[in-house]
Amino acid sequence: MSNDANDSSDAESLVEEHEQRINDLVADVDDPAELGADEDDGFSMQLAGLELDRRDFMKAGAATGLASAAGAFAGCQTALPDGKTPSDSGGGGDGGSQGASASHGHFVPPGEKDEYYGFWSGGHSGEIRVIGIPSMRELQRIPVFNTEPARGYGFDDQSSEMLEQAGDYTWGDNHHPNLSETDGDYDGEYLYVNDKANGRIARVNLKYFETDAIVDVPNVQCIHGTTVLSPDTKYVLGNGEFRAPLPNDGRDVNNPEEYTALFSAVDPESMETAWQVKVDGNLDIVDTGKEGRWAISSCYNSEEATEIQGMTRDDRDYAKVFDIPAIEQAVENGNYEEVNGVPVVDGTRESDLNSGDEPLVRYISTPKSPHCVEVGPDGKYAFIAGKLSPTVTMLDLDKIGEVDDPADAVAGRPKVGLGPLHTTFDGNGHAYTSLFIDSQVAKWDIEEAANAELGSSDPVIEKQDVHYNPGHIQALEAMTTDPDGEWLISLNKLSKDRFLPVGPIHPDNDQLIHIGDGEKEMEIVADHPAYPEPHDCVFAHRDKINPATTWDKADYEGEKPFVTAENSGVERTGENSVHVKASSKRSEYGMYDFTVQEGDEVRLTVTNVEGVRDIIHGVAIPEHDVNLAVAPQDTREVTFTADDPGVYWIYCTYFCSALHLEMRSRMIVEPSE
Ligand code: CUK
Ligand code: CUA
């Protein structure tokens, strides 16, 4: 096992080595063959009295000197009306009136509400974060693949059983939140998100802002790109990124050429895996057309290599276009192999199912290790960012089913800058692409790109420096058929010098950028530190999301009892088991104490009988790892064993009233003899 990257040990040569590798890999679209030698990529920025390669920001280890350079940088290109740099005009993003830009305030005064919900993936925190736009205030966190004491998630029986059945992992790496759609617009019902780490897809119920289902997708190790099938959420689609033996049961471990990547479709209601498609190469990001037929995935490892040198060898990879109705037909016709209970259809290039006029999967050559796929609001084009090519490839989705050679569906390929990762839209004919290596957002004209020569940079209208190294960017409702423009978020991977230092693990930096209707220049108005590592976010106007403010007990009728003060009590259910039921209200539980026997398995059911919003009662039992959070009209249950005799104070963990501290009960565990 050799790994060249470890050969040099001092920090400086590691940086040089990385730079060299990137320089060697970043392709020039005009002539990919010629790049990769030692030539300069020609990219530099002219600053007053200073010429600095944009990527020098990647190298700078110390904040010293960087801050001033960054200021100069931002100032040089982003001309604000008053000549200030973005950091002068509110980059601090502290939410005060000083924090709002002179021209485009994002400040939401006390007592007023944001216009948009933003749902952020939490990366390896495993959670979804709800952030108000434009204030950037964090409103809520929804635990998904993690456990969360403040919400009792992973503590009560229901959520811990769900996590257990979904593989019993202690974490997940969520990247791509997607809102459910009806008629191509957000219906406010559900949010779906992937777990890249363990190959899962979860569903969050937006009535309660709570995870209500998780599927551990069979036959894949990781689910990366994830999307719902527009326009009516027929499936949740997930890309298996890591190629592995199928099934991964010990066969073919030393034959990587036999490994395979799978494209999976999950039923959004039952949350079961409906079918999978085996493909050549790997699968990275996915989006769908607006009419329910096409799903387009990127592939960065067409080489099917197992190490970085091989994965980046070729100058071309693919976009893969899945024909959903054709796949459904193949499944219906029985043209599949069942693996671990799931129909797996063969969508490799050699497959018979791919030979006719209606192939299941169309392979379209694309430069080079592409990353994102996003379909524009009118559904005409899919935009595939080149990552190691400075271009975005536009696929004409109307043509895909008509042309003999799918390559003829390529409708444009503007050159936008170095390290293009993701594209978003303002609904007025502009695309915005994040440039990871250049640390910029490029705004460009879609129709001009369709008319320009491949590789032309003419369609680029403007570039905005961001700080630093953006991944996803999202504009308001950009994934619907009717984007709202106005604001764009750049989810920057690195924050470097932008915040007070907090040790060597830095926050990410989500920057709020005013784009208006796309006719004016972009303007950064806020920096927002984000706990690592959000990848993507999605926005919905507040009119489209209607959460309940208290529970509706009809939603759990038949599953859990509703416990009032009158029916609180202890019921012996077996020789070594009891069912304890208690109501809760300000400021007492249904019982001041209850008694169980040493060794009893205790099922504890607690209802919050209040109907007043925002009055939550907690249930903590010291030394038993018991922690419930019970919202008004909700009931939660937990099962544990009373192992050791003694007295255990039960207390409420939410400061619910002036008598909150007195809101207590005693669990008395009597010795067995
Ligand atoms: S991926 Cu992270 S920046 Cu998982 Cu959508 Cu592109
Ligand atoms: Cu109930 Cu504090």
Side-chain angles (χ1 to χ4, degrees), residues 175-176 224 285 371 422 471-472 493 535:
H175 286 209
H176 300 110
H224 190 205
I285 308 294
H371 185 51
H422 291 280
H472 279 270
K493 300 294 186 188
H535 282 252

Side-chain angles (χ1 to χ4, degrees), residues 31 93 105 125 180 183 227 230 242 270 437 463 465 524 563 616 654:
D31 195 352
S125 77
S180 57
D183 292 333
T227 190
S230 291
F242 303 149
S270 68
I437 298 176
K463 289 186 179 178
D465 297 330
I524 292 184
V563 185
I616 321 298
Y654 268 80

Side-chain angles (χ1 to χ4, degrees), residues 585 616-618 652-657 660 663:
K585 62 171 189 185
I616 321 298
H617 297 298
C652 173
T653 48
Y654 268 80
F655 208 111
C656 51
S657 81
H660 153 78
M663 183 167 175

Side-chain angles (χ1 to χ4, degrees), residues 468-636:
Y468 306 91
N469 306 97
H472 279 270
I473 56 177
Q474 280 290 356
L476 294 178
E477 299 205 344
M479 304 310 282
T480 68
T481 51
D482 188 19
D484 287 1
E486 203 62 22
W487 300 106
L488 178 151
I489 305 278
S490 176
L491 290 94
N492 306 313
K493 300 294 186 188
L494 308 191
S495 63
K496 294 269 185 194
D497 58 334
R498 299 293 280 191
F499 306 111
L500 284 176
V502 287
I505 293 192
H506 295 232
D508 289 16
N509 183 13
D510 298 342
Q511 287 185 302
L512 180 70
I513 301 176
H514 187 258
I515 56 169
D517 59 7
E519 296 310 317
K520 299 223 179 68
E521 283 177 339
M522 292 181 267
E523 182 188 344
I524 292 184
V525 303
D527 278 13
H528 182 258
Y531 195 66
E533 177 184 302
H535 282 252
D536 195 5
C537 55
V538 60
F539 307 110
H541 192 272
R542 63 187 184 193
D543 292 347
K544 296 178 185 174
I545 307 287
N546 295 296
T549 51
T550 63
W551 267 79
D552 179 351
K553 63 185 175 192
D555 284 342
Y556 59 85
E557 212 178 306
E559 289 163 37
K560 290 181 285 190
F562 188 88
V563 185
T564 60
E566 290 69 43
N567 62 17
S568 294
V570 181
E571 181 195 338
R572 182 148 291 278
T573 50
E575 203 181 325
N576 293 305
S577 60
V578 290
H579 186 188
V580 178
K581 293 190 281 184
S583 60
S584 62
K585 62 171 189 185
R586 280 165 289 176
S587 299
E588 60 191 25
Y589 297 106
M591 290 178 290
Y592 294 127
D593 56 61
F594 62 88
T595 301
V596 302
Q597 299 300 312
E598 177 186 350
D600 272 346
E601 184 188 85
V602 181
R603 175 179 164 206
L604 173 65
T605 305
V606 179
T607 297
N608 180 344
V609 296
E610 305 212 36
V612 180
R613 68 150 79 179
D614 204 10
I615 303 297
I616 321 298
H617 297 298
V619 180
I621 308 183
E623 295 165 25
H624 288 77
D625 208 26
V626 166
N627 165 39
L628 301 176
V630 195
Q633 296 292 298
D634 191 13
T635 296
R636 296 283 150 159

